[in-house]
């Protein structure tokens, strides 16, 4: 996918966008524009033609999902990729923190039910300061904690309520993973003491 020099987003002017999709969740991704493994990504970026890499965290398997920030770190340290964008389905605090530690430049929060290569490219073209990892992490409640049930499933719990309150997807998306968390009763009066 070639980006025109007149791209609206200053972070991806010129060069190519490479999608990295180890879980295979991106629809309509051509093999020329997508790497399906870490090794493919490293091979493709070694030539320096890609100016932006979009890493899609689409797996439910925790080990695979948390290996992607390590890939970001390798890309930032060893190849000539200008920008790395993390593509996620929601603002998972621990995953975003890991992407930030490893040097990801931006995050695109997208609906994975309708995820395709064109949609990702359009989202990357619209990235701005509000999509920085720091800005996106500021939206997430600092009391969110995660408890693994097995390799594919985890519970999200409220640390402000002594990790006794399990949070469902609707609550997470409407409050805990948005700026609205600042008005939440548990956030305002945490019961963290034992």
């Amino acid at each position: 996918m070639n980006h025109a020099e007149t791209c609206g987003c200053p972070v991806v002017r010129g060069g190519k966008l490479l999608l990295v999709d180890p879980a295979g969740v991106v629809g309509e991704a051509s093999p020329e524009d997508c790497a399906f493994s870490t090794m493919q990504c490293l091979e493709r970026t070694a030539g320096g033609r890609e100016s932006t890499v979009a890493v899609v965290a689409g797996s439910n398997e925790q080990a695979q999902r948390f290996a992607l920030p390590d890939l970001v770190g390798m890309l930032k340290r060893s190849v000539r990729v200008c920008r790395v964008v993390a593509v996620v389905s929601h603002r998972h605090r621990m995953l975003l923190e890991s992407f930030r530690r490893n040097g990801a430049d931006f995050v695109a929060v997208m609906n994975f039910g309708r995820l395709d290569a064109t949609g990702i490219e359009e989202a990357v073209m619209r990235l701005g300061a509000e999509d920085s990892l720091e800005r996106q992490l500021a939206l997430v409640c600092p009391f969110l904690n995660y408890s693994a049930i097995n390799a594919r499933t985890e519970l999200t719990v409220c640390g402000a309520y002594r990790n006794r309150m399990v949070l469902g997807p609707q609550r997470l998306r409407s409050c805990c993973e948005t700026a609205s968390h600042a008005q939440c009763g548990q956030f305002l009066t945490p019961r963290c003491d034992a």
Side-chain angles (χ1 to χ4, degrees), residues 141 143 160 180-191:
C141 179
F143 290 112
S180 298
H181 78 268
Q183 285 81 44
C184 172
Q186 282 74 31
F187 177 82
L188 294 171
T189 56
R191 301 177 197 171

Short mmCIF file of all heavy atoms in Angstrom, two decimals, residues 141 143 160 180-191:
data_model
loop_
_atom_site.label_atom_id
_atom_site.label_comp_id
_atom_site.label_asym_id
_atom_site.label_seq_id
_atom_site.Cartn_x
_atom_site.Cartn_y
_atom_site.Cartn_z
N CYS A 141 -8.79 3.58 32.79
CA CYS A 141 -8.74 3.63 34.26
C CYS A 141 -7.49 2.92 34.77
O CYS A 141 -7.21 1.78 34.38
CB CYS A 141 -9.99 2.96 34.84
SG CYS A 141 -9.99 2.95 36.64
N PHE A 143 -7.05 1.60 37.53
CA PHE A 143 -7.40 0.51 38.44
C PHE A 143 -7.76 -0.79 37.72
O PHE A 143 -8.06 -1.79 38.38
CB PHE A 143 -8.56 0.93 39.35
CG PHE A 143 -8.19 1.97 40.35
CD1 PHE A 143 -8.70 3.25 40.27
CD2 PHE A 143 -7.32 1.68 41.40
CE1 PHE A 143 -8.37 4.22 41.21
CE2 PHE A 143 -6.97 2.64 42.34
CZ PHE A 143 -7.50 3.91 42.24
N ALA A 160 -9.97 -0.83 42.11
CA ALA A 160 -10.50 0.15 43.07
C ALA A 160 -11.56 -0.48 43.96
O ALA A 160 -11.93 0.08 44.98
CB ALA A 160 -11.07 1.36 42.35
N SER A 180 -14.52 8.72 30.72
CA SER A 180 -15.63 8.67 31.68
C SER A 180 -15.25 7.99 32.99
O SER A 180 -15.94 8.14 33.99
CB SER A 180 -16.83 7.95 31.08
OG SER A 180 -17.30 8.64 29.95
N HIS A 181 -14.16 7.22 32.97
CA HIS A 181 -13.77 6.53 34.21
C HIS A 181 -13.51 7.52 35.34
O HIS A 181 -13.64 7.18 36.52
CB HIS A 181 -12.54 5.64 33.98
CG HIS A 181 -11.24 6.39 33.92
ND1 HIS A 181 -10.69 6.85 32.74
CD2 HIS A 181 -10.39 6.76 34.91
CE1 HIS A 181 -9.56 7.47 33.00
NE2 HIS A 181 -9.35 7.43 34.31
N ALA A 182 -13.19 8.78 35.01
CA ALA A 182 -12.90 9.79 36.04
C ALA A 182 -14.14 10.16 36.86
O ALA A 182 -14.01 10.73 37.94
CB ALA A 182 -12.31 11.04 35.39
N GLN A 183 -15.34 9.81 36.36
CA GLN A 183 -16.57 10.07 37.11
C GLN A 183 -17.11 8.82 37.82
O GLN A 183 -18.14 8.88 38.48
CB GLN A 183 -17.68 10.61 36.19
CG GLN A 183 -17.47 12.07 35.78
CD GLN A 183 -16.48 12.21 34.64
OE1 GLN A 183 -16.54 11.48 33.69
NE2 GLN A 183 -15.59 13.17 34.76
N CYS A 184 -16.43 7.72 37.69
CA CYS A 184 -16.87 6.45 38.28
C CYS A 184 -16.73 6.49 39.80
O CYS A 184 -15.73 6.98 40.33
CB CYS A 184 -16.03 5.31 37.70
SG CYS A 184 -16.31 3.71 38.50
N GLY A 185 -17.73 5.97 40.49
CA GLY A 185 -17.71 5.96 41.96
C GLY A 185 -16.53 5.19 42.52
O GLY A 185 -15.92 5.61 43.52
N GLN A 186 -16.17 4.06 41.91
CA GLN A 186 -15.02 3.27 42.39
C GLN A 186 -13.72 4.04 42.17
O GLN A 186 -12.82 4.00 43.01
CB GLN A 186 -14.96 1.90 41.69
CG GLN A 186 -15.93 0.89 42.23
CD GLN A 186 -17.37 1.18 41.79
OE1 GLN A 186 -17.60 1.71 40.71
NE2 GLN A 186 -18.32 0.85 42.64
N PHE A 187 -13.61 4.74 41.07
CA PHE A 187 -12.40 5.53 40.80
C PHE A 187 -12.28 6.68 41.79
O PHE A 187 -11.20 6.96 42.30
CB PHE A 187 -12.44 6.07 39.35
CG PHE A 187 -11.29 6.95 39.01
CD1 PHE A 187 -10.07 6.41 38.64
CD2 PHE A 187 -11.40 8.34 39.06
CE1 PHE A 187 -8.99 7.23 38.32
CE2 PHE A 187 -10.33 9.16 38.74
CZ PHE A 187 -9.12 8.59 38.37
N LEU A 188 -13.41 7.35 42.08
CA LEU A 188 -13.39 8.51 42.97
C LEU A 188 -13.15 8.14 44.42
O LEU A 188 -12.54 8.90 45.17
CB LEU A 188 -14.70 9.28 42.82
CG LEU A 188 -14.91 9.93 41.45
CD1 LEU A 188 -16.32 10.49 41.32
CD2 LEU A 188 -13.87 11.02 41.20
N THR A 189 -13.66 6.98 44.84
CA THR A 189 -13.46 6.53 46.22
C THR A 189 -13.01 5.07 46.23
O THR A 189 -13.77 4.15 46.55
CB THR A 189 -14.77 6.67 47.03
OG1 THR A 189 -15.80 5.95 46.36
CG2 THR A 189 -15.16 8.12 47.20
N PRO A 190 -11.76 4.84 45.87
CA PRO A 190 -11.27 3.45 45.80
C PRO A 190 -11.23 2.77 47.17
O PRO A 190 -10.98 3.41 48.19
CB PRO A 190 -9.86 3.61 45.22
CG PRO A 190 -9.48 5.02 45.46
CD PRO A 190 -10.74 5.81 45.54
N ARG A 191 -11.51 1.47 47.15
CA ARG A 191 -11.45 0.65 48.38
C ARG A 191 -10.29 -0.31 48.27
O ARG A 191 -10.46 -1.52 48.35
CB ARG A 191 -12.75 -0.13 48.53
CG ARG A 191 -13.95 0.75 48.61
CD ARG A 191 -15.20 -0.10 48.69
NE ARG A 191 -16.35 0.71 48.38
CZ ARG A 191 -17.55 0.23 48.20
NH1 ARG A 191 -17.76 -1.06 48.31
NH2 ARG A 191 -18.56 1.03 47.93
#
